[in-house]
């Protein structure tokens, strides 16, 4: 999962905040902060580019495989821990206030120390980058979203805790209980015997999380979604024809499907009868609807073939 991590965290926090009496702007601000914090765990991918150094530069597929292989060295462990998430959330939030930065420093050292003792120097370096990124997000959120320490801690905790669950259908499951040796899951849940349907299920989950974010924004802001949804999105259904020409994608080899189906989103930018581009919300919502229609069309065609 990529964008879905951020949008589902945004949706959950914004909708809950609005439901329990916060104003529209405040609820949206908390949601944005949660979404930003939800992106932080994947900074453990910073190690992955080193895999390209040993890759065959003449083969894009070999380079991609080397990148992802290197990413698994420390990915989805220290930064995806539900056990460490409360300490990390508190540390990030405290660092946004000058009054509590000593405590934030202690929290950072504790996080790095745990990783160093349990997993060694590489994990310690990764969690140091993780901490620095989370602190940067907290400082920016405090400044531009006008959020206090308590609100930041809540938003950070929501983002950090929701993130690992979005990774359940792709790759190895996160080490939810790190630094403890026990694993909640030792293998990725397999929903279908057909590997292509497994990939399509993960794609559908990503789309559902993105739609949740779109719904939350419109629900909380009070702007009707239909204002930003154009009927031309139905053209994305034509992507069903791709089932006739592309190799069925799997979680192991999905680049050709992911990039081509995402490209259908350009439908959101097209206005055949006008010379100007649509506004950003219309382009995004209509583009997302077109990609959804494309995914649904491809899935139906795949099942019928």
């Amino acid at each position: 999962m990529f964008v879905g991590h951020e949008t589902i965290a945004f949706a959950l926090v914004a909708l809950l905040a609005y439901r329990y009496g916060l104003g529209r702007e405040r609820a949206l601000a908390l949601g944005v902060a949660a979404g930003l914090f939800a992106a932080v765990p994947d900074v453990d991918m910073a190690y992955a580019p080193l895999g390209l150094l040993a890759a065959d530069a003449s083969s894009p597929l070999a380079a991609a495989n080397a990148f992802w292989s290197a990413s698994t060295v420390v990915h989805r462990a220290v930064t995806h821990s539900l056990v460490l998430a409360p300490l990390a959330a508190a540390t990030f939030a405290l660092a946004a206030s000058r009054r509590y930065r000593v405590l934030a420093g202690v929290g950072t050292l504790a996080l790095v120390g745990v990783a160093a003792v349990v997993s060694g120097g590489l994990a310690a370096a990764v969690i140091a980058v993780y901490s620095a990124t989370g602190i940067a997000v907290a400082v920016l959120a405090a400044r531009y979203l006008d959020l206090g320490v308590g609100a930041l801690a809540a938003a950070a905790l929501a983002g950090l805790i929701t993130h690992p669950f979005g990774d359940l259908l792709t790759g190895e499951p996160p080490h939810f209980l790190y630094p403890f040796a026990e694993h909640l899951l030792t293998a990725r849940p397999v929903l279908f015997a057909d590997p292509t349907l497994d990939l399509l299920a993960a794609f559908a989950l990503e789309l559902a999380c993105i739609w949740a974010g779109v719904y939350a924004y419109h629900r909380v802001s009070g702007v009707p979604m239909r204002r930003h949804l154009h009927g031309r999105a139905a053209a994305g259904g034509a992507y069903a024809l791709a089932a006739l020409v592309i190799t069925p994608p799997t979680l192991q080899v999905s680049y050709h499907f992911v990039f081509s189906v995402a490209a259908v989103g350009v439908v959101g930018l097209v206005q055949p009868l006008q010379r100007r581009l649509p506004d950003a919300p219309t382009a995004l919502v209509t583009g997302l609807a077109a990609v959804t229609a494309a995914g649904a069309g491809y899935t139906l065609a795949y099942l019928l073939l």
Side-chain angles (χ1 to χ4, degrees):
M1 185 176 287
F2 297 94
V3 181
H5 289 302
E6 294 76 35
T7 55
I8 193 63
F10 165 81
L12 291 173
V13 171
L15 288 172
L16 282 173
Y18 184 62
R19 169 68 178 79
Y20 287 100
L22 272 69
R24 297 184 189 276
E25 290 188 4
R26 184 71 169 175
L28 289 173
L30 282 169
V32 169
L36 292 173
F37 282 117
V40 174
D42 277 343
V43 299
D44 60 4
M45 293 289 290
Y47 177 77
L50 295 181
L52 297 176
L53 298 178
D56 181 359
S58 64
S59 172
L61 184 58
N65 288 334
F67 176 89
W68 291 112
S69 294
S71 76
T72 61
V73 175
V74 290
H75 189 43
R76 298 185 177 179
V78 292
T79 65
H80 287 57
S81 169
L82 300 182
V83 176
L84 295 182
L87 174 59
T91 298
F92 300 164
L94 291 170
S97 171
R98 294 181 182 273
R99 182 178 179 183
Y100 299 115
R101 284 183 180 169
V102 172
L103 288 175
V106 172
T108 301
L109 290 175
L111 290 168
V112 174
V114 168
V117 169
V118 175
S119 304
L122 178 57
V126 166
I127 208 164
V129 175
Y130 166 76
S131 299
T133 305
I135 288 171
V137 169
V139 170
L140 291 173
R143 178 177 301 175
Y144 295 106
L145 299 177
D146 193 26
L147 298 177
V149 171
L152 286 171
L157 186 61
L160 298 181
I161 284 181
T162 56
H163 180 109
F165 293 98
D167 290 329
L168 285 178
L169 297 185
T170 57
E172 294 186 7
H175 191 166
F176 290 105
L177 301 181
Y178 184 92
F180 303 110
E182 291 78 9
H183 287 262
L184 290 181
L185 293 171
T186 57
R188 175 182 62 82
V190 177
L191 301 182
F192 300 99
D194 185 329
T196 295
L197 292 181
D198 251 7
L199 179 279
L200 293 173
F203 180 65
L205 176 63
E206 176 99 33
L207 286 176
C209 290
I210 297 174
W211 274 115
V214 171
Y215 167 77
Y217 169 76
H218 288 88
R219 176 72 179 84
V220 175
S221 67
V223 178
M225 191 186 302
R226 61 180 178 275
R227 181 181 299 177
H228 298 140
L229 182 60
H230 195 281
R232 63 180 178 273
Y239 186 81
L241 297 174
L244 299 173
V245 296
I246 68 171
T247 303
T250 65
L251 288 171
Q252 287 69 42
V253 182
S254 61
Y255 308 107
H256 59 299
F257 171 76
V258 172
F259 290 131
S260 60
V261 76
V264 175
V266 74
V267 168
L269 293 173
V270 177
Q271 293 194 120
L273 301 180
Q274 300 185 37
R275 294 183 179 180
R276 59 184 179 83
L277 293 175
D279 58 86
T282 299
L284 290 172
V285 174
T286 300
L288 178 60
V291 172
T292 303
Y298 179 89
T299 301
L300 181 60
Y302 177 79
L303 290 172
L304 293 176
L305 290 176

